[in-house]
Amino acid sequence: MTAHEPPPSGIPGADGYDAVVLAGGAARRLGGADKPGVRVGGRALLDRVLAACADAGTTVVVAGPRPTARPVIWAHEDPPGGGPVAALDAGLRRTGAAQVVVLSADLPFLDPATVRRLLGALRTSGAEGALLTDTGGRDQPLVAVYRTSALRRELAALALEHGGLTGLPLRRLTGALALTRVSDPVASFDCDTWDDIAAARARIREHGHVLDEWISAAKDELGIDLDVDTGLLLDLARDAAHGVARPAAPLTTFLVGYAAGRAGGGPEEVAEATRKAVALALRWAEEAKADAKTADAEPGAGKAPDSRPDAG
């Protein structure tokens, strides 16, 4: 089937795009494992990809339904196992935006900033598609954004030429499009083997990445879609630990979250609650410093008076 079905009634996202994620395939190089469900940094690969395109108006996943961290529309190619071109066609028939982000489900380092870069490249270039290239300069057509009309035009032409889309390689589709390219060896990294999985897991545990990875995973797990200044929260934890006591750090950040939630739960509320808590922690620290100076200048001045009945 190649006829375009009426698009869903969802409103395109802020950048006016829909997303199609291809999550099928036999994963032979993983021994037939359920690749979209393999976890990297505590999150399924599919969920990591869905987080990167979270502001799409409609997100279609071409695969069998499964639990996901974000709501999606499910689709499948007919007949099943028809390959990436047939899968893309099946997903595209459920979209309605003028631009469509097309992704595979095995991209552990894809993030929203990369999706925005691709959308910007497409917008400024006037091309029919913008895709990432990997470390070797190779095109990655499943980490890309395309003009929907161009994809539909070429899919219809291929279906007419070959009597269908089953088994056709992606290069038959993308080779007919005017493309611009964005180099990003990290975001284009995909997990085809268990060695790739191990490398991805090792990278996110590196010092420069682990905190951001943990925060993203925790927000997904808790169902929190909130972009806050984590630097402020880290500064608060440091000030509470140094100015009050080490256990004050986790307890204070919990109380800040609770207070922000009661006040509305947005980034502004988090920032305001954090500001108040930081100011309090700094006042505690200043008092401690003042007391220490007094104790150094006047021996015994920093001691509490002896109030026992027989003290005199």
Side-chain angles (χ1 to χ4, degrees), residues 17-310:
Y17 76 93
D18 289 338
V20 173
V21 180
L22 306 190
R28 294 183 181 86
R29 297 174 70 185
L30 288 176
D34 174 28
K35 182 160 67 169
V38 172
R39 296 186 181 275
V40 173
R43 291 190 289 167
L45 283 171
L46 176 57
D47 282 335
R48 298 178 72 91
V49 172
L50 293 177
C53 59
D55 59 351
T58 296
T59 300
V60 183
V61 178
V62 185
R66 66 177 66 220
T68 54
R70 298 180 183 274
V72 302
I73 293 173
W74 298 97
H76 60 86
E77 67 272 33
D78 186 16
V85 175
L88 176 55
D89 178 66
L92 197 64
R93 284 188 268 114
R94 307 299 299 274
T95 67
Q99 304 169 103
V100 59
V101 170
V102 177
L103 305 168
S104 61
D106 60 354
L107 303 165
F109 305 126
L110 186 69
D111 59 18
T114 304
V115 172
R116 289 193 293 270
R117 283 180 64 201
L118 286 169
L119 288 163
L122 181 66
R123 185 167 52 248
T124 58
S125 68
E128 294 176 317
L131 50 75
L132 291 192
T133 57
D134 64 14
T135 51
R138 293 178 292 270
D139 287 351
Q140 299 297 309
L142 295 183
V143 199
V145 56
Y146 301 98
R147 300 192 190 278
T148 308
S149 59
L151 282 183
R152 290 190 176 125
R153 180 194 71 219
E154 295 307 322
L155 285 167
L158 285 174
L160 182 63
E161 178 183 356
H162 297 277
L165 300 174
T166 299
L168 295 180
L170 269 175
R171 64 178 179 273
R172 296 297 302 271
L173 174 64
T174 57
L177 300 173
L179 301 174
T180 188
R181 291 161 175 84
V182 176
S183 177
D184 194 329
V186 174
S188 63
F189 179 86
D190 56 0
C191 293
D192 290 327
T193 67
W194 287 114
D195 285 344
D196 294 337
I197 297 290
R201 288 171 172 169
R203 185 180 189 276
I204 67 169
R205 291 190 178 93
E206 293 174 359
H207 176 71
H209 308 289
V210 65
L211 189 57
D212 286 341
E213 287 286 349
W214 168 252
I215 290 170
S216 296
K219 288 197 296 186
D220 268 8
E221 189 73 15
L222 297 172
I224 299 171
D225 188 12
L226 181 65
D227 188 14
V228 298
D229 187 343
T230 54
L232 286 177
L233 294 175
L234 289 173
D235 289 344
L236 167 61
R238 178 201 62 206
D239 293 338
H242 292 171
V244 184
R246 190 167 298 277
L251 290 172
T252 305
T253 52
F254 164 77
L255 291 172
V256 162
Y258 182 75
R262 285 176 61 89
E268 297 83 3
E269 288 77 17
V270 174
E272 177 62 13
T274 302
R275 184 193 64 77
K276 291 179 178 179
V278 167
L280 176 61
L282 293 177
R283 292 199 298 271
W284 273 62
E286 287 300 321
E287 289 178 12
K289 289 179 182 177
D291 288 345
K293 288 180 180 180
T294 301
D296 289 342
E298 302 178 19
K303 297 180 180 179
D306 193 341
S307 59
R308 290 176 297 171
D310 59 349

